[in-house]
Amino acid sequence: MTFSAYEVSVPLFLRGFANLSANLEKGRAFATANGIDPDELVEARLIADMLPLSGQVQRASDTAKACAARLTGIAAPSFPDEEKTLAELEARIAKTVDFLKTVPPEAFEGAEARPITLKSRGGETHFVGRDYLFQHALPNFYFHAATAYDILRMRGVPVGKQDFLGPFGQ
């Protein structure tokens, strides 16, 4: 059985963002019901040296956009990291989803072998598309999505494993 780079990226990102949006909404409802300013969640973090909720959503967004762009050779939109409210985080997710939906599956043809170079402070890392997708993009996306979930959970939002996974069969 074979899978295309599209099938193992964009639909997974879309599902992850749908679940993340639902969890942010649960966070809003929890905060409101408990007399907490919902936007306080935006700056919540697991530990001082980790990004807050806003940073986790921003990095998940950036990872998904960059993955689709790198695998297809198109340019990803740039979003400034300025979100200060849950509504702004949800809007960023919506813009990311809108972008992902514009990238047609056929644009991913040959993506598995496309050379990809990531530049960082430590230098360059070279991948072919398949390795980039499985060794970097998907793990990075899920790290940030899970950390966002963990921050909400740590702050008392009643989310569980099924909230992270979302409904099955969709």
Side-chain angles (χ1 to χ4, degrees), residues 2 9 34 65 83 92 151 156:
T2 60
S9 61
N34 289 283
K65 292 183 303 165
E83 293 82 11
R92 184 181 182 121
I151 290 169

Side-chain angles (χ1 to χ4, degrees), residues 64-79 99-100 102-103:
K65 292 183 303 165
C67 179
R70 288 178 177 132
L71 290 177
T72 62
I74 64 172
S78 177
F79 305 153
F99 166 69
L100 292 172
T102 68
V103 185

Side-chain angles (χ1 to χ4, degrees), residues 28-113:
R28 178 191 321 285
F30 170 82
T32 301
N34 289 283
I36 302 166
D37 178 356
D39 294 331
E40 284 182 22
L41 294 172
V42 175
E43 289 305 314
R45 56 182 81 220
L46 291 178
I47 194 162
D49 68 348
M50 290 183 78
L51 292 171
L53 180 64
S54 59
Q56 302 303 331
V57 174
Q58 291 159 354
R59 295 301 78 73
S61 166
D62 291 345
T63 298
K65 292 183 303 165
C67 179
R70 288 178 177 132
L71 290 177
T72 62
I74 64 172
S78 177
F79 305 153
D81 296 337
E82 301 173 337
E83 293 82 11
K84 302 280 187 234
T85 67
L86 288 176
E88 290 171 346
L89 289 177
E90 291 172 12
R92 184 181 182 121
I93 290 170
K95 289 190 305 186
T96 304
V97 165
D98 288 346
F99 166 69
L100 292 172
K101 288 180 176 179
T102 68
V103 185
E106 49 278 1
F108 286 80
E109 289 177 17
E112 297 83 1

Side-chain angles (χ1 to χ4, degrees), residues 152-165:
L152 293 170
R153 180 80 172 131
M154 184 259 320
R155 291 298 302 261
V157 178
V159 291
K161 182 178 180 181
Q162 195 59 50
D163 295 296
F164 179 80
L165 295 175

